[in-house]
Amino acid sequence: MLAVTWLSLPLLRRFGTGRVVTGGLLVTALGLGALAAAVSGPAWAYVLALVVVGAGAGLCSSPLSTLLTRVHRERTGRSGAGVNSTLRELASAGGVGLAGLALAVAAHGDGAPRPEEIVAAARGVFASVGAVLLVAAGVVAVPRRRGLSPRSTRSSRRR
């Protein structure tokens, strides 16, 4: 993840924030799909899938941090890093909660899930989060027109 974060800077200059973040989300979703497939496979496949997830996260990390520090700087000062850190912590806590929920659902009456149920739960969590990231990539990829926000139309009416 660290190496790809450094490599994302030239990609940002060349392709822009939206494309790099979209690519990072797609790579992360691909890695999560690979994790879902590799969860019961050989260790090398699982490690390779984790590397792909890390690469995708590395592509997103720097652009999002940079973007958040630029958004409304006159109003928020330098709070972008704090917002980014807060979102990362919330996502981590949500992931742990989702994994716990999946394991609780996999547990049968005596509260001790069988190994195949744990694997199925992990596969479901990886696939679900990957699907959410695919939707997020689609949202980020949709081009936005400048000047069409409700605020800009109100200010143009006053003139």
Side-chain angles (χ1 to χ4, degrees):
M1 183 175 167
L2 180 64
V4 175
T5 299
W6 283 99
L7 294 173
S8 72
L9 297 175
L11 293 174
L12 274 172
R13 287 190 281 276
R14 181 174 174 106
F15 298 110
T17 303
R19 289 182 178 159
V20 173
V21 170
T22 300
L25 291 170
L26 290 173
V27 170
T28 305
L30 175 72
L32 287 168
L35 275 175
V39 75
S40 60
W44 65 265
Y46 193 79
V47 169
L48 184 62
L50 286 174
V51 168
V52 173
V53 169
L59 279 174
C60 293
S61 180
S62 181
L64 289 175
S65 294
T66 304
L67 181 67
L68 286 171
T69 57
R70 281 191 263 161
V71 173
H72 301 296
R73 183 175 284 184
E74 68 278 358
R75 292 186 202 161
T76 59
R78 299 190 183 271
S79 64
V83 171
N84 194 27
S85 294
T86 301
L87 291 174
R88 187 174 30 248
E89 290 296 326
L90 286 173
S92 296
V96 170
L98 184 61
L101 176 65
L103 288 175
V105 169
H108 43 84
D110 63 0
R114 294 185 303 258
E116 61 272 5
E117 292 171 331
I118 294 172
V119 167
R123 188 173 282 131
V125 168
F126 293 144
S128 299
V129 174
V132 168
L133 291 181
L134 284 176
V135 171
V139 169
V140 171
V142 172
R144 290 167 198 55
R145 293 187 200 172
R146 296 190 186 270
L148 294 180
S149 68
R151 182 174 178 183
S152 66
T153 53
R154 271 188 267 136
S155 64
S156 63
R157 287 185 207 150
R158 291 183 198 149
R159 293 180 188 163

